[in-house]
């Protein structure tokens, strides 16, 4: 489904062409989409999850962190929507910093506004992100009070829960994944932008309940991103659960086949799955 049937906001004419259909790793996305995987009707409780694949804000790892995940969620009775989002680029956007966030907000708005039609409970819509997609998911979960999209009905843009898998959280020098930061904020970001997009600094009491997982030996995105987020959530009395694997490095989901079991336990305890 087209994310913006009436035209993409914050976009400018560009010759950029989308690539990646042959291997499921996309670049050059100018027309963002949502792909819907329907929940197993025998297990559904009306819960939906918007899945945001990673790729350092340079590519979108659509098959590995999108399709595989959506199928696993749908089998458990969770409606899944994969977001193919615009990657930050001065070539296609007047303001590249907010482009991905606009797409995440639009996805939340679209699913919530069509909830009844799609058999979804509008109060059970979560967001799930991997790596830089985890940064985007946590941005949506901490920046929902300001609408960066056209939202005439004032539809809530707050996810009801967030699931973050080896997420990029901070944009500070000490913790940031350098590639993600440069792609999103440019080579010399302002202190204001660094703070605004360091999502551990944006947590408040109304931040959604959170499930985090990471591996301790992650050499790409330091596990302290998740730990820092966990600590800020806890201090703000936001319900949070975290699972840290001792080994597995970045992208451990491809090497730990049972990694989703604790996630499904958490979702069951919270009434999001049967």
């Amino acid at each position: 489904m087209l994310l913006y049937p009436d035209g993409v906001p914050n976009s400018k004419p560009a010759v950029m062409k989308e690539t990646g259909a042959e291997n499921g790793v996309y670049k050059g996305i100018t027309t963002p989409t949502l792909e819907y995987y329907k929940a197993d009707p025998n297990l559904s409780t009306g819960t939906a999850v918007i899945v945001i694949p990673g790729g350092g804000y340079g590519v979108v790892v659509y098959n590995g962190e999108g399709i595989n995940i959506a199928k696993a969620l749908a089998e458990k009775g969770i409606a899944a929507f994969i977001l193919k989002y615009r990657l930050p680029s001065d070539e296609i956007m007047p303001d590249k910093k907010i482009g991905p966030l606009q797409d995440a907000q639009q996805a939340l708005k679209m699913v919530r506004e069509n909830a009844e039609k799609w058999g979804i409970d509008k109060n059970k819509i979560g967001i799930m992100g991997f790596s830089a997609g985890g940064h985007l998911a946590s941005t949506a979960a901490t920046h929902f009070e300001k609408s960066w999209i056209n939202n005439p009905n004032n539809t809530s843009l707050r996810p009801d829960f967030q699931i973050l898998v080896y997420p990029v959280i901070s944009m500070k020098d000490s913790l940031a994944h350098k590639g993600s930061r440069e792609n999103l904020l440019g080579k010399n970001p302002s202190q204001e932008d660094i703070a605004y997009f360091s999502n551990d600094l944006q947590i408040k009491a109304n931040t959604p309940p959170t499930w985090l997982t990471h591996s301790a030996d992650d050499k790409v995105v330091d596990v302290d991103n998740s730990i820092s987020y966990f600590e800020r959530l806890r201090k703000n009395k936001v319900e949070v659960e975290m699972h840290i694997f001792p080994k597995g490095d970045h992208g451990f989901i491809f090497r730990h086949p049972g990694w989703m079991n604790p996630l499904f336990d958490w979702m069951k305890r919270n009434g999001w799955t049967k």
Side-chain angles (χ1 to χ4, degrees), residues 38-45 73-79:
K38 291 185 179 175
D40 179 332
N42 299 316
L43 296 174
S44 174
T45 64
L73 292 169
E75 281 170 13
K76 291 284 184 182
I78 302 156

Side-chain angles (χ1 to χ4, degrees), residues 55-154:
Y57 282 127
V59 297
V60 173
V61 185
Y62 195 86
N63 288 16
E65 294 174 342
I67 291 173
N68 292 345
I69 303 303
K71 286 178 175 172
L73 292 169
E75 281 170 13
K76 291 284 184 182
I78 302 156
F81 295 83
I82 311 171
L83 177 62
K84 186 164 74 175
Y85 55 98
R86 290 172 293 164
L87 296 159
S89 164
D90 294 323
E91 194 183 327
I92 62 166
M93 302 172 195
D95 184 354
K96 72 175 184 176
K97 299 188 298 289
I98 62 160
L101 175 56
Q102 288 177 308
D103 294 354
Q105 288 193 337
Q106 178 73 8
L108 283 156
K109 173 173 169 256
M110 192 171 173
V111 174
R112 196 159 266 138
E113 288 182 351
N114 288 284
E116 195 174 339
K117 183 171 86 176
W118 292 335
I120 289 163
D121 182 334
K122 70 178 190 324
N123 300 311
K124 290 184 175 181
I125 300 168
I127 199 161
M128 178 180 196
F130 298 78
S131 195
H135 183 265
L136 180 48
S138 61
T139 306
T142 50
H143 294 68
F144 54 82
E145 287 175 342
K146 179 178 169 76
S147 177
W148 290 97
I149 53 168
N150 186 29
N151 188 12
N153 301 323
N154 283 326

Side-chain angles (χ1 to χ4, degrees), residues 92-239:
I92 62 166
M93 302 172 195
D95 184 354
K96 72 175 184 176
K97 299 188 298 289
I98 62 160
L101 175 56
Q102 288 177 308
D103 294 354
Q105 288 193 337
Q106 178 73 8
L108 283 156
K109 173 173 169 256
M110 192 171 173
V111 174
R112 196 159 266 138
E113 288 182 351
N114 288 284
E116 195 174 339
K117 183 171 86 176
W118 292 335
I120 289 163
D121 182 334
K122 70 178 190 324
N123 300 311
K124 290 184 175 181
I125 300 168
I127 199 161
M128 178 180 196
F130 298 78
S131 195
H135 183 265
L136 180 48
S138 61
T139 306
T142 50
H143 294 68
F144 54 82
E145 287 175 342
K146 179 178 169 76
S147 177
W148 290 97
I149 53 168
N150 186 29
N151 188 12
N153 301 323
N154 283 326
T155 300
S156 169
L157 303 177
R158 177 186 181 271
D160 294 300
F161 55 90
Q162 54 177 330
I163 300 163
L164 307 178
V165 184
Y166 40 82
V168 175
I169 293 290
S170 180
M171 290 286 147
K172 288 168 136 183
D173 289 346
S174 54
L175 268 189
H177 175 246
K178 302 294 187 285
S180 297
R181 182 171 89 166
E182 189 171 313
N183 285 334
L184 185 67
L185 303 181
K187 283 194 188 315
N188 299 299
S190 68
Q191 288 305 310
E192 185 183 23
D193 283 345
I194 287 171
Y196 188 73
F197 289 100
S198 289
N199 296 329
D200 51 332
L201 305 180
Q202 303 298 330
I203 291 165
K204 296 199 288 203
N206 62 355
T207 300
T210 307
W211 191 87
L212 287 157
T213 190
H214 219 119
S215 74
D217 66 347
D218 194 322
K219 291 185 275 300
V220 178
V221 176
D222 194 302
V223 67
D224 281 347
N225 279 272
S226 284
I227 292 169
S228 170
Y229 202 62
F230 175 90
E231 288 181 337
R232 294 281 183 143
L233 288 163
R234 189 175 66 82
K235 287 193 169 67
N236 280 276
K237 301 196 168 30
V238 176
E239 190 177 302

